[in-house]
Amino acid sequence: MAAGLFRWAVGFWGYSGLQKPPMHGDFEAQRHWMEITIHRPMFDWYFYDLEYWGLDYPPLTAYHSWLLGKIGSVVNPTWFALDSSRGFEDQLLKVYMRATVLVSEYLVYVPAAILFSRKLARLQGAAIWESSIATVAILMQPATILIDHAHFQYNTVMLGFVLAGMAAVLSDRLLWSCVFFVAALCFKQMALYYTPAIFFYLLGTCLLPEPRPLRFILISLTTLLTFILIFAPLLLSSLFSPFNLSSYPPPPLLKSLPFSLPDTSPFQPPLLLLTQSIHRIFPFARGIFEDKVANIWLAIHTIHKLHSYPTPLLQRLSLSATLIAILPSSMTISLFPRADLLPWALASSAWGFFLCSFQVHEKSVLLPLLPMTALLASSDGLATENRAWIGWANILATWTLFPLLQRDDVRVPYAVLVLLWSYLLGLPPTSFSLYTSRHSSLTLATRLLHLAFYAAMAAWHGLEAFVDPPKAKPDLWVVLNCLIGCAGFGVCWLWCSWQCILRSGVMEDYFGVRVRLGEKEKEAKAERGKGKETARNGKVKTRKAL
């Protein structure tokens, strides 16, 4: 209930594109897709007026938009009137749109988060109060709330499917995990960030400790069938509706196929629609990055301009870098397919994609944050090391989103949610005890690294608020934000990859490196407990003597 109230309160502030014609922003894009899906034939969804927020998400998002548009049209048909409703900013429409995000989240994300947290805590023997704190931390994650409920998107539906898939893995229901992960991918293509880790985990369970061909066949069929069921309504619409091929230009992907079908073929309309949807879902023509995003390509671009290189070369370069970045986690999870390692592999894979892949948005940082934050529910999730690293990654990621959120005029929700979340977990800037306490198990290097980034974030906010950038470089502070964020995210990738490898046991088995997961902290707590018990016994003896 409290998480819902905070989400609704954030919705009273601005949103993407408010009073910013002609394109407005993400709020208008989501509204426009509802307008398209309820008024245009299904086979026309991925072709209609592509210059004005053309649909560029997978079919499950389109079906979701269709449902919400139908319900909204019952309330007020003018909200989604075809073409004439563009840029509509009625206050009741804003209330309805905000409510759709909240309801969608409570139907998918919230129950999935609670289910995953309780399941992981029960399997690893975590205390109930620790599981409850972890669940609240997941639900109150500031970056997710600010992007979906302030900026305006439906990322939590996709993230909820991912959490449901992770919970299914913990329950050893691998076929259901396939269904949920495919649903996530068919809702937003950004879920592709998780695909390598999930693929190699499932492959590993089919091969180790012994080959299980039946499991492999069932997983493959379930995955394929789920894709078919989700795409079926879209593709069948081209068979049972009037479809004039001459009215739709063939997409580049269709032209590149090694075969061609005659226009009279009954399979030509579905093939045209399938290739067009894929072309829209994966827009390689847009460039290697969009806007200012804290990944390696923008960092390199500040020194050496990448736009001068041909797009195919940049695509191959980003593909090679991404494959290298996801290799450690993919190899580890395939050789050690354990459910407790999957969140680490998902986080490492997602960080690799965010840092190195093609056409990355700032909002994509939500994907590596999800499995990292979900690890708070593990048996050592609230231990000093994990809490410090996971908390630092979340605050750093939210900070890199500030230039985007600033354009939406949501500075106050940003400050409130970050401070509230840091207070909940005992993190800077509300508490420095994790780094200053003599009982802390953090290494000196970790303390210095994190505190340096916290200081840099605070200093940046001071510069952004009180110092104007040079006129020749108006984006100086934004670029500086991205460079600091990129460095921090690179460290996050290294830490998640290292934890995945370390916890697999391969370092101990082959190199003699022992894994001490919170042992120092447990020993310190035990010593403090003995000290308190000794003090209590002393007081009792004193009272008896008196």
Side-chain angles (χ1 to χ4, degrees), residues 95-176:
V95 172
Y96 174 75
M97 296 289 282
R98 294 294 195 193
T100 61
V101 178
L102 190 64
V103 172
S104 299
E105 188 165 330
Y106 267 80
L107 289 175
V108 182
Y109 182 75
V110 172
I114 295 173
L115 179 65
F116 173 82
S117 299
R118 291 182 177 177
K119 187 68 178 178
L120 182 61
R122 186 162 55 248
L123 288 176
Q124 298 194 359
I128 296 177
W129 68 270
E130 291 178 325
S131 173
S132 300
I133 292 175
T135 302
V136 174
I138 295 170
L139 295 179
M140 291 299 297
Q141 192 181 34
T144 304
I145 296 176
L146 290 168
I147 289 298
D148 274 22
H149 296 274
H151 182 78
F152 198 89
Q153 284 200 343
Y154 295 94
N155 293 293
T156 46
V157 177
M158 177 262 294
L159 297 175
F161 284 134
V162 173
L163 280 172
M166 292 167 65
V169 167
L170 294 178
S171 302
D172 201 28
R173 297 179 177 178
L174 299 184
L175 299 185
W176 275 111

Side-chain angles (χ1 to χ4, degrees), residues 36-37 40-48 55 62-63 66 234:
I36 292 174
T37 52
R40 299 299 302 172
M42 192 177 290
F43 60 78
D44 199 35
W45 288 355
Y46 286 97
F47 290 96
Y48 186 74
L55 182 61
Y63 306 150
W66 175 85
L234 182 69

Side-chain angles (χ1 to χ4, degrees), residues 161-235:
F161 284 134
V162 173
L163 280 172
M166 292 167 65
V169 167
L170 294 178
S171 302
D172 201 28
R173 297 179 177 178
L174 299 184
L175 299 185
W176 275 111
S177 71
C178 295
V179 172
F180 288 124
F181 283 125
V182 171
L185 187 58
C186 288
F187 192 86
K188 286 205 171 187
Q189 61 269 39
M190 291 187 302
L192 190 67
Y193 288 18
Y194 300 128
T195 304
I198 297 163
F199 172 80
F200 283 106
Y201 169 77
L202 294 175
L203 182 63
T205 62
C206 296
L207 298 177
L208 299 171
E210 58 184 8
R212 299 175 183 175
L214 180 59
R215 172 179 286 187
F216 179 79
I217 292 171
L218 289 175
I219 287 175
S220 302
L221 289 177
T222 302
T223 302
L224 181 61
L225 183 60
T226 306
F227 272 113
I228 291 174
L229 289 176
I230 292 175
F231 273 85
L234 182 69
L235 300 181

Side-chain angles (χ1 to χ4, degrees), residues 294-314:
N295 71 353
I296 64 170
W297 305 122
L298 185 130
I300 295 173
H301 186 73
T302 58
I303 303 170
H304 183 74
K305 301 307 177 185
L306 296 176
H307 291 160
S308 59
Y309 292 95
T311 300
L313 175 62
L314 296 177

Side-chain angles (χ1 to χ4, degrees), residues 387 395 417-431:
R387 185 156 50 96
I395 292 175
L417 289 174
V418 169
L419 292 174
L420 180 67
W421 201 79
S422 62
Y423 176 77
L424 172 67
L425 293 179
L427 299 167
T430 59
S431 173

